[in-house]
Amino acid sequence: MTTTDSETLIAPNAALQKIASQFKFTEGPAADKKGAVYFTDQPNDKIWKYDVDGQLSLFMDKTGRSNGMYFDKKGNLITCADEKNELWSISPDKKVTVLFTDFQGHKLNGPNDLWIDPKGGIYFTDPYYQRDYWERKKPEIDGQKVYFLPKGMKEAVVVDGDLKQPNGIIGSPDGKHLFVADIRDNKTYRYEIQPDGSLKNRELYVSQGSDGMTLDNKGNLYLTGKGVTIYGPDRVKIQNIPVPSGWVGNVCFGGKNRDMLFITASESIYTLQMKVKAAK
């Protein structure tokens, strides 16, 4: 079964392509409407662009230490800017709007990854990873949680406060399900999204955590860490794609046809041609 499934996912004769290895730690890949992928070099405080013709260019310097990112419907790049523990919206012409800062008067731990639902609401994870560019040495908020920021609102709500260290997050394009990885507990959960944005019926999806993740158009879930591990909609592990870097931070689909798997792996970025495409 594994062989057949693998063959249906990766394009025939496709191999992992290393695009560049000039970074410190890559994260947050997100594809725009054309299929160009933007990603962060988080410790170096930069956002890079890999366009559909394979050209790599610097998109932005001084990004608020952006980490996880996702495009909204208007083409703004929404980022987890953990320098000051904020959510940013970066317009195509690089104008920055701070969408969200302190929760109930306290600094967030450090927004890490996010997903935007079909209505424009933002779900984001807020684990605590001590950064060397912070003055504080401990969190101001008790616990590491998942938040929801409804579209146009200034105040977020906690949608799950019972996780050890939530990290990767992705939702289904129909807005019905949210997946959250609790990286410290080595578990990934699935929730049912309610009309008001709240979450119900949390269930253990797979016993593996993840740094970042994505879904394809067949409902397969891609988890990152040691390589990229793919689980089918039946939650059975299909395969692990080995990546020759110490750690894979995140993954997304990009390219003109949205069938290129784009992998951020520590100092490097890789692509892999797939038969499947981004979830739609």
Side-chain angles (χ1 to χ4, degrees):
M1 183 185 113
T2 305
T3 318
T4 319
D5 281 342
S6 305
E7 282 171 0
T8 58
L9 292 181
I10 298 172
N13 305 317
L16 201 64
Q17 302 287 323
K18 184 193 277 188
I19 305 303
S21 285
Q22 67 202 52
F23 313 103
K24 196 162 181 187
F25 191 84
T26 55
E27 251 290 4
D32 68 11
K33 284 191 175 81
K34 291 178 180 170
V37 178
Y38 293 68
F39 64 95
T40 61
D41 185 0
Q42 211 268 348
N44 286 324
D45 201 14
K46 296 180 191 312
I47 296 174
W48 289 81
K49 177 183 178 181
Y50 181 70
D51 72 20
V52 292
D53 299 317
Q55 295 298 310
L56 188 63
S57 59
L58 181 65
F59 171 69
M60 189 172 169
D61 211 347
K62 306 287 182 232
T63 70
R65 303 278 184 172
S66 285
N67 195 347
M69 308 194 293
Y70 204 88
F71 276 97
D72 71 10
K73 284 180 178 164
K74 292 181 177 172
N76 301 304
L77 192 52
I78 311 303
T79 83
C80 292
D82 83 8
E83 184 171 28
K84 293 181 182 171
N85 318 97
E86 298 169 330
L87 292 185
W88 281 17
S89 172
I90 304 171
S91 71
D93 61 2
K94 303 173 200 171
K95 182 172 177 281
V96 172
T97 306
V98 177
L99 297 179
F100 183 67
T101 185
D102 304 358
F103 178 71
Q104 296 176 356
H106 299 288
K107 268 193 202 315
L108 290 163
N109 292 326
N112 187 281
D113 201 3
L114 62 89
W115 174 72
I116 303 175
D117 72 14
K119 298 176 189 169
I122 303 169
Y123 290 88
F124 66 95
T125 56
D126 188 45
Y128 191 86
Y129 294 105
Q130 182 66 48
R131 306 295 195 193
D132 56 12
Y133 43 82
W134 289 344
E135 285 180 15
R136 64 170 172 164
K137 298 293 180 223
K138 62 179 200 288
E140 291 185 17
I141 288 173
D142 188 29
Q144 305 186 39
K145 302 167 186 174
V146 181
Y147 293 85
F148 175 62
L149 181 66
K151 186 178 182 186
M153 301 298 279
K154 293 281 183 228
E155 191 59 64
V157 290
V158 175
V159 284
D160 192 351
D162 184 27
L163 294 161
K164 291 185 179 172
Q165 194 163 40
N167 197 311
I169 189 167
I170 193 76
S172 59
D174 61 9
K176 289 181 178 172
H177 292 102
L178 186 73
F179 297 83
V180 176
D182 189 345
I183 197 166
R184 194 192 293 163
D185 207 21
N186 205 29
K187 291 179 171 66
T188 295
Y189 296 101
R190 184 175 73 174
Y191 306 77
E192 292 173 12
I193 299 174
Q194 303 306 295
D196 65 355
S198 63
L199 303 177
K200 264 194 180 163
N201 299 332
R202 175 175 108 171
E203 58 174 339
L204 178 64
Y205 196 71
V206 293
S207 293
Q208 183 179 330
S210 188
D211 196 341
M213 47 191 179
T214 196
L215 289 161
D216 70 19
N217 61 343
K218 304 286 187 195
N220 300 309
L221 181 68
Y222 294 64
L223 304 185
T224 63
K226 291 292 182 187
V228 179
T229 308
I230 309 169
Y231 288 88
D234 57 1
R235 309 178 194 199
V236 173
K237 180 176 166 180
I238 296 173
Q239 70 182 119
N240 174 272
I241 299 167
V243 178
S245 286
W247 185 256
V248 174
N250 216 324
V251 66
C252 81
F253 281 88
K256 282 176 187 160
N257 302 311
R258 282 292 203 290
D259 57 358
M260 172 193 77
L261 193 65
F262 187 94
I263 301 165
T264 56
S266 303
E267 73 291 339
S268 305
I269 51 169
Y270 296 86
T271 60
L272 180 61
Q273 190 58 46
M274 306 293 283
K275 271 190 179 176
V276 287
K277 299 183 177 187
K280 226 178 147 177

